[in-house]
Amino acid sequence: MKWVTLLLLLLPFTTAAVTLYAGHRNEGAVKGLAVGGSLLTLGLAFVVAVPQLGDAAPETSVFTKTDALEPVISLATHVDQLSAVMILLASIVSFLVQLYSVGYLHDDPRYPSYATLVSIFTGSMLTVVMADDLWMLLVGWELMGVCSYFLISHHWELAEARAGAVKAFLMTRTADLGLLFAILLIGDRTGSYRITDAVVSAADFELPALLLVVAVIGKSAQFPLHSWLPDAMPGPTPISALIHAATMVAAGVFLVARMYPVFDADSLTLLAVVASITMLVSAFYALVTNDLKRVLAWSTVSQLAYMFAALAVGAWSAAVLHLLAHGAFKALLFLGAGSVVHAVGGRTSMTAMGGLREKLPDTFTTMTVGFGALAGVIPLVGFFSKDAIIHAGLDEVRHHEVIDEQAAWLVLIAMLVTAALTVAYSLRAWLRVFFGPVDPDLEVHESPATMRVPLYLLAVPTVLGGLVFVDPSQVLGERGEESLFHGSMAIAMTALVAVVAALVLYVWWSNDGADPWAPPVEELQPPEDLVYDVVLVRPLHALARAVVIHDREVVDSYANGAGASARGLGWLLRLAQNGSVQQYLMVVVIGAAAIAVAAGVLT
C-alpha cells in the first residue's frame, strides 16, 4: 500500500507532463490522456482511501528525508479517515471536471494547457491532504495557488480574467505568509515538521494557531480577504467547480480539521467571529447579485464559513461532512451553471436567462436538486449537514465549552440568519434561470452527453448522501460517533425553509415574475474592495510613484553625472588623438624639455 500511495501522489503530475507533451499534436489523444489519467487516478484513490474509512488504523509512510537539517524535512504521507474522504472528493470531482471539459471546451485552442493545469491542480490537492510533513503540505498549497492563477486567467484576452487572477494570487499569497511562519514556529517548538507529531505535542501553539487562521482566511476566502473568489469567475466554469468543491478553498477547512488539536480557545474564537461575519456578508451579496456564477461563488464563501463556524464550536464531524456534502452539490451547481451558460451563448448574467426548464430538462432537474441541497431541503444531503452544524451552534450556546458565550451567540444567530438568506438566494436564482421571462430570440440547446452525465453522477450523492448521517462512524471512525441528526432541529429548520420559500414566492409573484432583489447596477462592487483601494492600493501606488521619482531624480543623477564626467574626460583626451604626427613629435619634445627643466630645478 505504501507504494500505491506514492503512485497516487505522482500519477496526476505524470498525466500533466504527458498531456503537455502531447500538446496540439493530436487533439483526440490529449483529451483521452486527460480523462484517462484522471480516471486512473480515481481508481487508485479508491484503492488507497476506501480501506482507511471507518475504524481502520491510519497508514503513515516515509519515503525519504533530509539528513543534514534539523528539524528533519521528510517526504511523508498520512492517510486517515479525514485524508481518505478528501482523496475521494478531490479525485471524483477532478475526473468529472475533466470529462465535462471535453464538451465544454471542445473547440478551445488552449485545451491542452487547461487539461495539464487541472491535472497539476488535482495532484496539488492530493499532496495537501496526504502530506504528513508541513513543508510537503506547503508545496501542494502553493502549487494550487499557482494553478488557480493560470486557470482563472485562461481567457487572458479578457481584462476581468487578468484582474481576477492577479487579485486571487495577491490575496491568497499574502495570507500564505501566515502558514509559512506557522510552520517555522511549529518546527521550532516541537523539533519536528511532522503533522502527526504536532497534533500530539504539548507545546505552546497560541501564535502558530493564530497564523494558521490567517492562512485559511486567505485560502478559503473569508472576511476580510473574501472578495477574490467571486472575482475569479471569468475562468472556465468547470474549473470554478474544481476550485469551489474539491480543491483550493476546501484546503483551508481541511487544514483546520487536520491540525485541530493545535487550535486553542483564542484562535477558535477568532475563527468563529470571522466565520460569522463572512457567512452573513456573503449570503447578502448572493441575494443581490445578477451573475449566476457569482451567486454560486458568494454561496461558496458563505458555506465555507459554516464549516469554519462548526469547527470553532467543536463540531468536527459536522464540519467535515458538510465539506463533503458541499463538494457534491456545489460541483453539481457549477457544472449545471456551465451547462446553462453554454446553452445561452456564454452569457453569465441571469438577465440573459429565463424559462429554461423546458429547453434544458436535464440541467433543470439536476440543478433543482443542487439548489435544494444548498437551501437545506429535506431529504437532500445539505439538509442533514447544515442542521448538524446549527445544532452544534445551539449546544455551544447552552454549554460554551469551546468558545466564550458571546462568540457562541454570534455564531448561532449568524447561522440562522444565513440559513434563511440561503433559501432566499437559492430560490431566487432557480426562479430567474428556469422560470423568469423568456427571451424569444434566444436559441437554446441542451448540452452534450459529456456535460450532462457528470450532472447526474453528482446528483446521486446529493440525494443519497444523507444516509451517511445515520452512522457517521462508518466513514469517520471514532471521530464520527456522535449523533448528527436531531429531530427537533430538523423540524425547526424545515419550517424555516418553508416559511422563507413561501415569502420569496409571494414576493416573486406579487412582482409578476420581476426580480425584487435585482441591484440598481449589473453587479454591485463590495464596499470592502473600496476600502482596500483607499487604504492599500492608492497609498502603495503613491509610494511606488515616489520611489520612481526618487530613482529618476536622485539615484539616476549620480549615475548620469558619472557618465557625463566620463564623456567629458573622453572628449578632452580625444583632442590629443587627432592623427597628426607633427603634433605628436612637438608634444614629445615639449614634454622632454619640461622634464629636463624640472630635473635641473630639483637638483
Side-chain angles (χ1 to χ4, degrees), residues 34-46:
V35 176
S38 62
L39 180 59
L40 185 56
T41 300
L42 177 59
L44 284 177
F46 272 92

Side-chain angles (χ1 to χ4, degrees), residues 540-600:
L540 286 175
H541 280 177
L543 180 61
R545 287 192 295 269
V547 169
V548 169
I549 293 172
H550 178 270
D551 183 70
R552 183 176 61 244
E553 302 297 334
V554 179
V555 177
D556 284 359
S557 298
Y558 289 100
N560 294 337
S565 300
R567 286 194 300 272
L569 180 61
W571 181 80
L572 291 175
L573 293 175
R574 176 172 162 274
L575 296 177
Q577 304 294 324
N578 57 10
S580 173
V581 177
Q582 292 87 345
Q583 288 188 11
Y584 295 163
L585 290 175
M586 183 179 67
V587 170
V588 170
V589 171
I590 293 174
I595 291 171
V597 171

